Amino acid sequence: MAARTHTAWLAYALLIATAMAWGANAVAGKLAVGHISPLLLTHLRWGLAALVALPVAWPHLKRDAPVIRRHAALLAAYGGVGFGGFNAALYTALNHTSTINVVIEQAAMPGVIFALNFLVLRQRTRGAQLVGFAMTVAGVAVTVSAGDPARLFGLDLNRGDALMLVAITCYGGYTAALRMKPQMHWLSFITVLCAAAWLASLPFAAWELSGPRGLWPDLQGWAVVAFAATMPGLVAQSCFIRGTEMIGSNRAGLFINLVPIFGTLFSMLFIGEVLRGYHVAALALVLGGIGLAERYRR
């Protein structure tokens, strides 16, 4: 029992650190607007992350080479969709909506995780988790409607909010699919996924640069690339993978709901965004949802 408790608390610490880094990632993405175009940011971020990880991961990559070759398609999907697709949609969304909206909308990810775990993997979902998820969905609905339910019924969402629905679908699917992760060293895994995301984002970055919206990074843009590659990229993804291994994807996915808390605080501190009444209501629903699901998880 003591060992199980220690494992749970270690997983919680890893997942809270992940949420902090991802909350900061949304702020970094907002700071990138006007300094680097979003698809290029995605491409450069994962390329730099792969380069940083490669020297440390090289011995493990050589040992895991047979596993990597055998599961190449699955690993490419993990990196291309979970890493590349999610960040491309998120960074593009930040060009059209507020950082606070983006981080609160990420609370819908557990719903995708629950649904895929149940429909595809036939994993049981507990009643408290469903109630907690319903509360987080309500929080997201309050956010995207700016406190006006009529906007939801009229599908009056801006482009950024719509793109965030794409983003959470990408990462929710990736998280649920982590149950099928091949047995390999975590450094090998994260490095291969970074490289896959870099390759998958290359044609999109090239397309963006060829058009009027392409923007090569200036000094601030490069600073965002460096930060996004290390903290929300390598460090946070590694923590999330390990935390998911320790307590399962359903429970780990709920900690994504802490991203709005940290992201909102960072947005107010570093960008000066305004916290409105409907944001407070949404955050209360998100916190209540994760608390309920964790309290009655057994």
Side-chain angles (χ1 to χ4, degrees):
M1 180 63 71
R4 182 181 298 177
T5 302
H6 174 75
T7 298
W9 280 109
L10 178 57
Y12 296 163
L14 292 172
L15 293 166
I16 290 171
T18 300
M20 290 182 66
W22 285 347
N25 182 46
V27 174
K30 194 67 170 180
L31 291 173
V33 175
H35 298 276
I36 179 174
S37 48
L39 300 182
L40 180 60
L41 170 57
T42 301
H43 178 65
L44 293 177
R45 168 198 181 167
W46 291 119
L48 179 58
L51 285 175
V52 171
L54 185 60
V56 181
W58 185 248
H60 306 290
L61 286 167
K62 290 193 295 183
R63 186 173 61 250
D64 291 330
V67 178
I68 295 170
R69 287 193 294 268
R70 189 162 57 250
H71 298 280
L74 177 61
L75 294 171
Y78 279 149
V81 177
F83 284 17
F86 169 75
N87 280 279
L90 182 145
Y91 291 143
T92 305
L94 285 163
N95 284 262
H96 304 282
T97 192
S98 73
T99 310
I100 292 178
N101 270 32
V102 163
V103 295
I104 292 178
E105 286 157 8
Q106 289 184 61
M109 279 187 202
V112 179
I113 298 168
F114 289 159
L116 290 175
N117 278 340
F118 177 75
L119 294 173
V120 179
L121 303 176
R122 301 300 180 186
Q123 181 175 328
R124 180 182 176 186
T125 298
R126 300 183 185 279
Q129 290 177 314
L130 291 174
V131 174
F133 160 61
M135 292 174 66
T136 63
V137 169
V140 172
V142 169
T143 303
V144 301
S145 66
D148 180 10
R151 290 188 62 194
L152 290 178
F153 294 111
L155 295 179
D156 182 20
L157 306 179
N158 69 40
R159 185 178 178 185
D161 294 324
L163 282 168
M164 278 308 299
L165 297 179
V166 175
I168 62 178
T169 301
C170 287
Y171 207 83
Y174 158 77
T175 302
L178 281 177
R179 282 178 60 92
M180 299 181 291
K181 182 175 76 69
Q183 290 298 316
M184 54 193 296
H185 195 276
W186 68 271
L187 275 170
S188 299
F189 186 70
I190 198 75
T191 305
V192 170
L193 265 59
C194 288
W198 175 75
L199 285 172
S201 61
L202 175 58
F204 298 98
W207 169 79
E208 183 181 64
L209 281 175
S210 67
R213 296 179 181 175
L215 182 61
W216 192 254
D218 57 13
L219 184 60
Q220 182 167 322
W222 280 115
V224 172
V225 169
F227 173 78
T230 51
M231 294 306 296
L234 288 175
V235 174
Q237 294 291 352
S238 299
C239 289
F240 186 70
I241 289 168
R242 180 57 182 146
T244 300
E245 289 176 344
M246 295 170 77
I247 64 172
S249 61
N250 270 358
R251 289 172 63 193
L254 286 169
F255 280 80
I256 296 173
N257 293 335
L258 294 177
V259 173
I261 310 304
F262 294 117
T264 298
L265 292 174
F266 294 152
S267 298
M268 295 168 64
L269 287 173
F270 299 111
I271 302 179
E273 290 192 357
V274 178
L275 182 67
R276 305 191 183 278
Y278 65 85
H279 287 137
V280 175
L283 289 171
L285 287 167
V286 166
L287 281 176
I290 190 173
L292 180 66
E294 277 297 294
R295 178 178 177 85
Y296 295 103
R297 66 185 183 276
R298 300 189 187 282

